[in-house]
Amino acid sequence: MAYASGASGLPLIGDTISAHFDKAAQRWADRDALIVRRQNNRWSYGELKVKVDTLPAGLLALGLAPAHHVDRPARHPEFKRFDLSSLRGSPCPIEVMKCCVSEMNMREVSIAYGMTETSPVSTQTACDDPLQRRVGTVGRVHPHVEIKIVDTDGRIVPPSTAGELCTRGLER
């Protein structure tokens, strides 16, 4: 069983995210799907589907492995052929982040932390944070998300103290 649901009046879709997106792209191919004003991007579902389908192939062609190897593509001889403007990553060494900014033109890359179960991103650095802050932290708590760190007895611990992360986000 891929998933289970308790008592709820909301039916499950029954599709993977990928299959559901493919159906939406087919049904609304000419409708706006993604608009990013500051980057002057406006993509229809059809255009977004092409980008979604070609990005993984481009990354694989460049030999991209897990996120901590994100700087590898910049050394590939055909690197400039691929549009990696939507690539996102995880915490990484500052040398890798510098490479992403200078060689891959990813000036606004940010670091995020979260889980699908918590809406899915709980914290994120800002695009204009200094590089040292982006690689040294997972950022600030998102709006409508609550986070606390507790000890083994469930008491909130002081800053910079190890403990268990408790987080909750928006629910449907």
Side-chain angles (χ1 to χ4, degrees):
M1 176 186 295
Y3 57 80
S5 175
S8 172
L10 295 172
L12 296 173
I13 295 171
D15 286 336
T16 64
I17 293 170
S18 177
H20 194 67
F21 175 75
D22 288 346
K23 288 177 184 177
Q26 183 176 15
R27 183 174 180 184
W28 300 302
D30 296 326
R31 289 190 187 175
D32 286 338
L34 180 67
I35 300 169
V36 184
R37 290 181 54 191
R38 69 185 175 139
Q39 294 177 347
N40 200 27
N41 287 336
R42 183 180 208 108
W43 299 333
S44 68
Y45 276 95
E47 292 167 324
L48 182 58
K49 180 170 175 22
V50 168
K51 292 188 180 292
V52 166
D53 290 346
T54 58
L55 177 63
L59 294 175
L60 289 172
L62 291 172
L64 186 67
H68 63 276
H69 296 294
V70 75
D71 65 326
R72 287 183 58 202
R75 297 188 299 265
H76 192 280
E78 295 185 77
F79 170 74
K80 302 272 186 217
R81 280 185 352 144
F82 298 96
D83 176 10
L84 302 178
S85 61
S86 63
L87 179 66
R88 301 296 181 259
S90 61
C92 60
I94 195 158
E95 296 79 22
V96 173
M97 183 66 88
K98 286 178 181 176
C99 177
C100 290
V101 170
S102 65
E103 300 300 319
M104 300 174 77
N105 200 28
M106 296 170 59
R107 288 174 178 77
E108 295 183 346
V109 68
S110 67
I111 303 298
Y113 169 80
M115 301 172 284
T116 301
E117 298 83 357
T118 58
S119 297
V121 172
S122 297
T123 66
Q124 187 169 10
T125 60
C127 295
D128 58 355
D129 281 341
L131 288 182
Q132 185 62 47
R133 182 177 186 114
R134 284 189 261 171
V135 299
T137 178
V138 291
R140 299 161 192 87
V141 178
H142 270 216
H144 309 294
V145 172
E146 297 176 7
I147 292 181
K148 65 181 177 180
I149 311 287
V150 298
D151 62 18
T152 55
D153 295 321
R155 293 184 302 252
I156 297 175
V157 299
S160 301
T161 303
E164 181 179 351
L165 176 79
C166 300
T167 182
R168 67 178 174 184
L170 294 174
E171 297 180 35
R172 344 189 244 187

